[in-house]
């Protein structure tokens, strides 16, 4: 397989792990959404630091020179789980996952366009369109019968948009660090680790007795080790090979996984419209896996080096370090 294909596979596996977060957090209703998010992402970030400590030490000079970028990414990491888990708890697992993930590729494209001058491609536009349409159909099919009030739905959408924007922000920060010569392990550990450090006081302040009892402790341990630690190891591996915008588009597989799990475990219903949404998300992945096509009008130059990128999702990354 080509590096791009292996990167896509890694991101798909990470997305499948992330797709379990909504159902897992729903199994511990006594633990608040903020506590679940802060604990899972916070502990996961600290594990990233421990796992990549040698890479952090080796690239410390580069990271210190780019401290503003690291801080931006770390703050986005800290904001993401608070908004994401609150969105799922308030608006429902389906609505929270779908809005958060569907908005992330668009936010990522805007960030890369404005900050890096990276051109969009017709291939990405088609894939993103399929993915967002599929996510919208999933949301419609699963939220229509949920019985939630208008207020909870609106608030859930607002929090989901905040989660999508912050997710795109730290994915871009990690990729930008890699483009600037920081290794994959150090980039992920610096951004996710700083976010984890920022989240631990929130976790300590909100954690109650339910956290250290079953099922709270099991749920948080699972979320921290598998989706938040292993998932982001796989995501950073893929991010070094496919670019931030394509990576966030691929993660649209997450709401499809969340849909299947919530249907099987939480007994939520999914109709024909919902399954059509799953099919469209699958089509988005197929389109992204096809050979690259030309950029959309308005091809821009990379502000870092003054040369145009190949395309969103297909950046020139032959010189990007990928080892820890």
């Amino acid at each position: 397989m080509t590096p791009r294909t292996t990167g896509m596979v890694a991101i798909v596996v990470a997305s499948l792990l992330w797709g379990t977060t909504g159902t897992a957090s729903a199994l511990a209703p006594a633990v608040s959404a903020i506590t679940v998010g802060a604990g899972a992402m916070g502990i996961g970030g600290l594990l990233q630091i421990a796992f990549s400590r040698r890479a952090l030490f080796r690239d410390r000079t580069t990271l210190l020179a780019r401290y503003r970028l690291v801080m931006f990414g770390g703050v986005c990491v800290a904001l993401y789980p608070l908004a994401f888990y609150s969105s799922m708890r308030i608006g429902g697992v389906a609505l929270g996952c779908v809005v958060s993930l569907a908005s992330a590729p668009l936010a990522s494209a805007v960030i890369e366009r404005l900050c890096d001058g990276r051109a969009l491609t017709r291939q990405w536009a088609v894939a993103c369109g399929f993915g967002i349409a599929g996510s919208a159909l999933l949301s419609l099919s699963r939220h229509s019968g949920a019985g939630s009030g208008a207020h909870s739905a609106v608030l859930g959408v607002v929090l989901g948009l905040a989660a999508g924007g912050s997710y795109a922000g730290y994915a871009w920060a990690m990729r930008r660090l890699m483009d600037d010569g920081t290794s994959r392990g150090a980039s992920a550990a610096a951004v996710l680790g700083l976010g984890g450090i920022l989240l631990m006081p929130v976790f300590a302040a909100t954690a109650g007795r339910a956290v250290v009892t079953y099922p709270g402790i099991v749920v948080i341990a699972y979320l921290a080790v598998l989706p938040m630690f292993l998932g982001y190891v796989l995501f950073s591996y893929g991010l070094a090979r496919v670019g931030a915008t394509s990576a966030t588009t691929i993660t649209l597989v997450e709401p499809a996984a969340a849909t299947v799990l919530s249907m099987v475990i939480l007994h939520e219903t999914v109709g024909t419209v919902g399954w059509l949404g799953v099919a469209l998300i699958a089509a988005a992945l197929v389109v992204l896996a096809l050979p690259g096509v030309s950029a959309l009008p308005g091809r821009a130059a990379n502000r870092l080096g003054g040369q145009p990128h190949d395309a969103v999702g297909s950046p020139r990354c032959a010189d990007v370090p990928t080892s820890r």
Side-chain angles (χ1 to χ4, degrees), residues 170-225:
Y170 71 76
W172 171 79
M174 288 167 59
R175 174 69 206 200
R176 185 65 177 269
L177 286 170
M178 295 178 199
D179 286 342
D180 288 350
T182 309
S183 67
R184 175 179 61 85
S187 299
V191 172
L192 296 172
L194 176 58
I197 292 171
L198 294 175
L199 284 167
M200 291 313 295
V202 179
F203 176 64
T206 60
R209 185 174 301 176
V211 173
V212 294
T213 59
Y214 179 84
I217 191 170
V218 175
V219 167
I220 291 179
Y222 166 78
L223 292 174
V225 174

Side-chain angles (χ1 to χ4, degrees), residues 105 124 127-128 244-253 284-285 288:
W124 173 83
C128 190
T245 298
S246 284
T248 53
T249 305
I250 294 169
T251 56
L252 286 170
V253 74
L285 297 179
L288 278 178

